[in-house]
Amino acid sequence: MNEKDILKKLNSYKAIKADKTWKKENRQVLFNQIMNSSSGNEADFSFAKIANAFKIYSDTFYNGIVKRMGQPVLLTSMIVLVVLGGGVMSIDASRDATPGDSLYIAKKISEKTKFALTFSEKKKAQLNVSFAENRAKEIAQVMADEKPETEKQEIVERLTGDFKKEISNVKNRIEKIAKEVKETEENVEVIETEESLEENIFTANLGKGDEGLSIESEVEVVELAEEDLAEELAQEEETEVELEDEELVELAEETDTEGASSSDAVEEEAVETNSQEMLSEVRELIESDDFDATLEKLDAVSVSLDKEIESGEVKGVEESLEDETISSEVVEEAATSTEEN
Amino acid sequence: MSLFNIKDQSLLSRLKNDNKEAFIEAYDLYVDQIYRFVFFKVGSKEEAEDITSAVFLKTWNHIQETDKLVEKTLKALLYRIARNTIIDHYRKKKELSDISIDAEDSDFDLPDGSQDIEAKIQLDSEIEIVHAKLLELKDEYREIIMMRYINEMSIEEVATILEKSKGNIRVLTHRALKALNELVGVDEKK
């Protein structure tokens, strides 16, 4: 017998199996025992389960968070989260606050923060417009509130003051931007003409140089080229300067006429439209960089708000509320479109 | 084999979740090989049945009570518990016989289950020889031959159950088979 034979013989041991009836009976016995043991556990369910749950909780909590509290990165990030999260949430809650509400101060602070974090003048102007829009909304809300008339009047007055402040801020900002834009436009013109001049000189030089090389000796070429250059430069400068002047005059005329026509249109419109609609137009005008017209419009807006508040109080709460909400929607739309740009 | 492992793993995880049906499935899957393993060691049908029954119950309790099992498979856990239970069984038997006044029951240390095994298998003469020699082998070799060639376990499985390295198991298997071969050969020459 070799190893293979032995292994074959060993295979026959596989025939050894537990008795079938015993297996069946034993299975039932075991199953019953398990059921009993676990039903016993269920009796003192409350303690065991709670203790177990607490164990799992404390394990994961301790291992997962408390242990890592010692690590500065997690600690700082959690503090940052609490601070920022808290800030964001409270500002969110304060969004619909009106003067007199405890959260109104949070709203104001969030507006100021937003403003402080904005650096472009154009965006600042847009923020001022949206703040003005907020004031307008608040006026509508206050008017809808069930409060004594005198109290309402006080708040509305205060809000109107704020509104006008915002509008004048927008105005100042727009004036500033308009000035800057004009200056830079002029600068750009000048730089462009200078650049084109240089280009011409360069090409002239090259052309002459090539010709010279093909025909004459080097020295002569240089002399000739210099002469030519001098002549050409003189000519070109003259024409360029002339051109420049002409262009500037034309440009100035264009801007003048544009400004005049648009401001005329604004004045005509101002009589009819209300302040909120005008605000939305203001936004559009800022968008299209038409600053003169924007300024005109802004004046009209504050005038019409005064009128509206007067007439609104006379007309009654509901009508003015409608006006305010509709117009604020329009303003919002305008705001989103500016953001897209 | 891998499919079998998946089955083993799913059973183990279900058992951890207090699943009683999984216990029955595990019982049906492993009862024969555990019984065979135990029977091989204790040699008597009644004892093997009792111990096998105890092994499954102990395994269930162990899984419920232990948070983190050392064994990666249910099979390894069953065999480990079976070995421990058999050791306990012999210890108790020895204590009993020590206390017992009449010491006529002296066959406690090594199983001499030849009669039971013979009853189970239609033994031809060669099987009889192998079986006799198997009983002459030392416990360690017999256990390895049992696990590797009768219950057809992988070297890795045997290694985890016996808490030895794979290399060690390879060497042991080789030596066990060689020893058995020699014993049978000596017998043949006679």
Side-chain angles (χ1 to χ4, degrees):
Chain A
M1 252 196 287
N2 56 21
E3 277 188 16
K4 268 188 186 173
D5 290 328
I6 292 173
L7 291 181
K8 261 185 201 167
K9 305 297 166 213
L10 287 173
N11 262 337
S12 63
Y13 280 96
K14 284 178 195 161
I16 301 173
K17 277 181 181 170
D19 189 70
K20 267 188 187 173
T21 49
W22 171 80
K23 268 202 282 189
K24 247 188 186 174
E25 283 168 13
N26 192 49
R27 186 201 283 142
Q28 195 55 49
V29 170
L30 283 173
F31 191 68
N32 288 342
Q33 273 175 308
I34 284 168
M35 290 306 269
N36 288 337
S37 70
S38 54
S39 70
N41 282 341
E42 275 158 25
D44 49 27
F45 156 83
S46 50
F47 265 141
K49 288 272 172 174
I50 288 168
N52 196 32
F54 182 74
K55 192 169 174 289
I56 290 165
Y57 169 78
S58 63
D59 278 1
T60 49
F61 185 74
Y62 183 76
N63 288 330
I65 297 165
V66 179
K67 238 184 200 171
R68 289 186 193 172
M69 270 296 204
Q71 296 170 6
V73 174
L74 188 88
L75 189 67
T76 34
S77 64
M78 277 184 81
I79 289 169
V80 166
L81 196 82
V82 167
V83 170
L84 284 185
V88 167
M89 275 186 273
S90 56
I91 287 164
D92 213 47
S94 71
R95 194 169 282 160
D96 293 327
T98 52
D101 288 354
S102 56
L103 284 175
Y104 188 68
I105 187 77
K107 189 179 185 178
K108 285 290 246 184
I109 288 170
S110 89
E111 279 185 3
K112 290 228 165 87
T113 320
K114 238 189 226 170
F115 195 75
L117 290 173
T118 312
F119 299 106
S120 129
E121 283 291 314
K122 194 173 164 183
K123 282 197 176 139
K124 275 189 174 178
Q126 280 168 346
L127 269 181
N128 281 132
V129 173
S130 73
F131 295 159
E133 172 200 317
N134 283 349
R135 298 295 90 78
K137 271 188 203 162
E138 281 157 23
I139 292 172
Q141 278 173 344
V142 168
M143 281 179 160
D145 276 352
E146 287 173 4
K147 276 181 187 169
E149 281 298 320
T150 49
E151 207 178 300
K152 268 192 199 175
Q153 221 170 324
E154 235 175 74
I155 296 168
V156 169
E157 264 171 35
R158 217 193 312 155
L159 286 173
T160 319
D162 287 348
F163 180 87
K164 282 190 177 157
K165 229 186 262 168
E166 297 292 352
I167 294 296
S168 73
N169 280 340
V170 180
K171 235 168 103 179
N172 290 338
R173 229 152 243 123
I174 297 293
E175 273 168 1
K176 218 166 147 189
I177 296 168
K179 229 186 241 172
E180 278 173 13
V181 167
K182 263 179 196 165
E183 277 170 19
T184 50
E185 268 175 6
E186 279 164 17
N187 283 342
V188 167
E189 284 290 326
V190 172
I191 290 165
E192 272 176 11
T193 47
E194 276 173 4
E195 274 177 0
S196 63
L197 235 178
E198 276 170 22
E199 256 173 50
N200 281 342
I201 293 165
F202 188 59
T203 49
N205 193 9
L206 263 182
K208 289 289 168 186
D210 284 345
E211 271 177 45
L213 261 178
S214 58
I215 311 164
E216 315 255 322
S217 73
E218 279 181 41
V219 185
E220 277 174 319
V221 170
V222 174
E223 277 175 10
L224 263 172
E226 275 177 355
E227 275 173 36
D228 283 350
L229 239 178
E231 273 176 40
E232 261 182 47
L233 260 176
Q235 278 180 351
E236 275 179 38
E237 262 176 13
E238 270 175 41
T239 52
E240 282 295 328
V241 169
E242 275 172 20
L243 260 175
E244 211 179 330
D245 286 344
E246 276 171 31
E247 277 173 352
L248 274 177
V249 170
E250 272 174 36
L251 265 170
E253 277 173 2
E254 270 177 25
T255 46
D256 277 357
T257 49
E258 264 181 35
S261 62
S262 55
S263 58
D264 284 347
V266 170
E267 271 171 303
E268 279 168 28
E269 282 170 40
V271 187
E272 287 153 23
T273 53
N274 69 31
S275 64
Q276 269 69 39
E277 275 166 25
M278 286 156 109
L279 262 182
S280 72
E281 280 166 36
V282 166
R283 286 226 180 212
E284 279 161 27
L285 286 172
I286 296 175
E287 226 178 289
S288 56
D289 291 339
D290 195 348
F291 300 113
D292 290 335
T294 318
L295 288 174
E296 299 279 350
K297 197 98 195 164
L298 283 171
D299 282 336
V301 168
S302 42
V303 172
S304 92
L305 184 88
D306 278 342
K307 279 185 198 164
E308 262 173 55
I309 290 171
E310 279 169 32
S311 64
E313 279 169 354
V314 179
K315 266 196 287 182
V317 178
E318 281 179 32
E319 275 178 68
S320 66
L321 185 71
E322 269 178 18
D323 282 351
E324 304 274 8
T325 47
I326 290 166
S327 55
S328 61
E329 274 170 24
V330 174
V331 174
E332 268 172 13
E333 274 176 25
T336 50
S337 69
T338 25
E339 275 167 19
E340 278 168 16
N341 282 334
Chain B
M1 196 61 205
S2 61
L3 206 80
F4 198 80
N5 270 339
I6 291 166
K7 173 93 178 153
D8 186 287
Q9 286 302 305
S10 85
L11 278 175
L12 188 60
S13 69
R14 280 163 67 205
L15 284 170
K16 279 181 194 162
N17 290 322
D18 211 5
N19 189 326
K20 279 138 198 149
E21 282 163 30
F23 177 79
I24 296 302
E25 280 178 49
Y27 175 84
D28 287 340
L29 189 64
Y30 289 119
V31 70
D32 275 328
Q33 51 176 301
I34 293 294
Y35 172 83
R36 198 181 300 134
F37 179 75
V38 176
F39 178 76
F40 215 84
K41 287 201 146 203
V42 298
S44 97
K45 190 188 167 204
E46 284 73 25
E47 279 175 315
E49 282 173 356
D50 288 349
I51 290 170
T52 305
S53 185
V55 166
F56 278 94
L57 201 61
K58 276 183 182 176
T59 304
W60 169 263
N61 289 334
H62 182 75
I63 291 170
Q64 303 309 311
E65 285 161 11
T66 316
D67 287 337
K68 238 188 166 184
L69 293 171
V70 182
E71 290 80 7
K72 283 174 190 160
T73 62
L74 176 60
K75 192 179 185 181
L77 180 64
L78 280 167
Y79 272 94
R80 182 83 67 82
I81 289 175
R83 289 183 84 229
N84 292 338
T85 313
I86 292 162
I87 292 166
D88 283 351
H89 172 76
Y90 279 123
R91 196 179 293 139
K92 273 179 197 163
K93 221 177 163 187
K94 192 169 188 292
E95 278 167 15
L96 274 175
S97 66
D98 283 350
I99 294 161
S100 166
I101 301 160
D102 58 332
E104 62 179 320
D105 193 26
S106 60
D107 63 344
F108 58 85
D109 46 1
L110 259 179
D112 183 33
S114 53
Q115 284 182 338
D116 290 290
I117 292 171
E118 276 162 8
K120 283 284 160 195
I121 317 162
Q122 298 295 316
L123 290 173
D124 61 40
S125 59
E126 282 184 338
I127 289 177
E128 209 169 344
I129 296 165
V130 172
H131 175 65
K133 297 303 158 192
L134 206 52
L135 290 177
E136 284 175 30
L137 275 179
K138 63 174 180 174
D139 279 357
E140 197 183 19
Y141 288 170
R142 199 168 48 205
E143 190 174 42
I144 282 232
I145 285 182
M146 162 69 207
M147 288 201 266
R148 289 282 290 127
Y149 297 111
I150 298 173
N151 274 358
E152 289 183 320
M153 293 160 76
S154 70
I155 285 173
E156 198 176 350
E157 281 173 326
V158 179
T160 45
I161 290 160
L162 299 182
E163 290 177 304
K164 282 175 177 161
S165 74
K166 282 194 228 170
N168 204 333
I169 296 298
R170 230 172 257 127
V171 171
L172 273 176
T173 311
H174 180 72
R175 282 187 194 153
L177 202 58
K178 203 180 162 193
L180 182 63
N181 200 15
E182 276 169 11
L183 282 172
V184 173
V186 168
D187 205 54
E188 275 180 336
K189 274 171 196 167
K190 277 180 189 173

